[in-house]
Amino acid sequence: MNWSAEAPANIALIKYMGKSADNIPLNPSLSFTLDKFKTRVEFDLLEGANQDEWDASQNINEADQVRFLKHLSFLKETFGIKENFRVRSQNDFPSHCGLASSASSFAALTLCAAKAASELKGADFTDPTKVNLLSRKGSGSSCRSFFKPFALWDVEGARPIELCGIKFLHQVVVVDAARKEISSSEAHKRVLTSRLWNGRPERARNRLEKLVEALKHNSWKDAYEITWDEFWDMHELFETSAPSFGYMKDSSQRVLKLVRELWNTEGDGPLVTMDAGPNVHLLYREDQRELCNQFRIQKLGDYVVLGEGER
Ligand code: DP6
């Protein structure tokens, strides 16, 4: 017997940064789901084995393997699964492109275990309103990957949120594809030591309210300013932590400057945000497709750009 599941990555516009035990966020967050960046997880039933194992074809570092299998043990215990599996996990986007894949991989792992449990136990365990709560325990941001196009995650868990009828075009400018030295899990702990931490959950909550209003009322420039302030807030927390750390590169700053110039000259442009990494995410409205193409060709031609219009 075997099972498989796919789940997409997501990019937060209002960030989950700072958490308590079990990945309970200290503020609500809002994300856009990245349908073009998916992880696929597969299980083969292992007859007679006494533990789960990775498929030999997998090239995954040891710390990630341990974290993944630990979450699988938790899921099996929750669902009452006694059987053991051979596990494969594969991203359908280029690996080593510096995109955090923990959200998509933990969501896909959780869904795959829920599918296996459903068949082995003869009941349906795949309801996303319940599965996202389990996925959160593996990696917080993964709980948002069960909903689209936007997900809101607050004390009640994650759910889809209706913001506007507009289709979004997503691009990520990959300025550095290396694995990050400070994981997001570590970043969540360090930001609590920042001199700027005071008031952070309230700032995020206020921005979330304002962003939802801006997107509902098509106030695109307001949405751009709110998301701009939000990722800088998070990166300033990194830079002012003890010990301080950071992901911003000169090349990230160059891309940000290009986006700012676009806004200043055209009075329009994409929403822009950055994760806990150096790469720059851009979100355009569908009616900006031409602007999106022109900007990529004329200004981002020297960079690797994944997502919309990718070549
Ligand atoms: C910067 O979900 O990777 O991407 O719960 O420890 O696995 P863990 O952290 P993780 O944190 C993601 C933080 C972020 C912002 C966000 O996605 O909201």
Side-chain angles (χ1 to χ4, degrees):
M1 289 170 102
N2 47 57
W3 298 272
S4 66
E6 280 186 354
N10 68 76
I11 179 70
L13 296 176
I14 302 295
K15 311 292 181 183
Y16 154 51
M17 187 41 60
K19 62 176 180 178
S20 53
D22 259 357
N23 300 336
I24 299 288
L26 298 182
N27 64 268
S29 57
L30 178 80
S31 60
F32 179 71
T33 299
L34 306 179
D35 274 332
K36 291 194 172 171
F37 299 84
K38 286 204 181 96
T39 300
R40 179 183 174 85
V41 167
E42 295 171 343
F43 293 169
D44 296 333
L45 186 68
L46 282 178
E47 306 282 356
N50 54 15
Q51 59 182 25
D52 301 309
E53 61 181 46
W54 279 101
D55 190 278
S57 65
Q58 299 279 286
N59 179 15
I60 296 176
N61 86 42
E62 204 173 321
D64 288 347
Q65 288 190 22
V66 170
R67 189 173 167 206
F68 211 69
L69 290 189
K70 191 168 159 228
H71 187 57
L72 177 55
S73 297
F74 157 75
L75 293 167
K76 284 169 56 178
E77 207 180 302
T78 307
F79 293 127
I81 300 177
K82 300 270 178 285
E83 290 79 356
N84 292 304
F85 306 118
R86 179 176 299 119
V87 181
R88 281 183 296 280
S89 173
Q90 197 115 34
N91 295 337
D92 76 354
F93 50 94
S95 44
H96 311 301
C97 66
L99 286 177
S101 55
S102 84
S104 53
S105 47
F106 278 85
L109 171 63
T110 307
L111 195 55
C112 198
K115 282 187 172 178
S118 301
E119 190 168 346
L120 293 167
K121 301 276 162 197
D124 184 9
F125 291 106
T126 60
D127 177 353
T129 62
K130 298 200 172 110
V131 176
N132 87 83
L133 299 169
L134 299 176
S135 197
R136 186 205 79 219
K137 297 196 185 208
S139 179
S141 57
S142 71
C143 71
R144 296 184 308 231
S145 284
F146 291 86
F147 307 100
K148 64 179 192 178
F150 291 98
L152 173 70
W153 174 25
D154 62 13
V155 279
E156 287 161 31
R159 57 189 175 279
I161 174 169
E162 191 59 49
L163 290 176
C164 50
I166 302 167
K167 185 174 175 256
F168 279 57
L169 313 178
H170 168 261
Q171 288 181 330
V172 55
V173 187
V174 181
V175 301
D176 186 350
R179 189 185 168 83
K180 52 194 180 196
E181 279 164 31
I182 305 288
S183 68
S184 352
S185 300
E186 175 63 20
H188 284 288
K189 292 186 200 140
R190 293 244 198 127
V191 291
L192 304 180
T193 66
S194 162
R195 293 177 291 282
L196 303 180
W197 173 258
N198 199 11
R200 162 66 196 164
E202 291 72 28
R203 291 199 295 279
R205 223 167 283 147
N206 286 340
R207 281 193 198 113
L208 175 60
E209 261 174 42
K210 289 197 173 116
L211 182 60
V212 168
E213 280 309 299
L215 289 172
K216 279 190 173 162
H217 295 102
N218 292 328
S219 305
W220 190 248
K221 184 151 195 283
D222 291 344
Y224 160 69
E225 285 168 359
I226 296 162
T227 49
W228 179 273
D229 292 354
E230 171 65 1
F231 82 78
W232 276 111
D233 189 350
M234 182 175 77
H235 281 258
E236 280 165 8
L237 291 174
F238 300 153
E239 300 286 346
T240 51
S241 290
S244 133
F245 63 104
Y247 304 96
M248 193 70 73
K249 304 253 174 198
D250 291 350
S251 44
S252 321
Q253 302 256 24
R254 280 197 289 278
V255 174
L256 293 175
K257 189 160 172 266
L258 290 170
V259 177
R260 188 168 50 199
E261 282 167 6
L262 176 70
W263 269 97
N264 289 345
T265 53
E266 301 287 322
D268 196 14
L271 306 188
V272 51
T273 192
M274 293 177 68
D275 213 3
N279 302 318
V280 181
H281 293 258
L282 305 175
L283 280 174
Y284 293 88
R285 307 181 308 265
E286 183 158 42
D287 65 273
Q288 292 175 310
R289 191 178 284 279
E290 189 52 31
L291 180 73
C292 166
N293 287 338
Q294 287 311 314
F295 188 61
R296 179 176 56 74
I297 294 164
Q298 290 170 8
K299 301 288 180 182
L300 300 175
D302 294 341
Y303 297 93
V304 175
V305 180
L306 302 177
E308 199 61 42
E310 185 181 322
R311 282 173 299 180

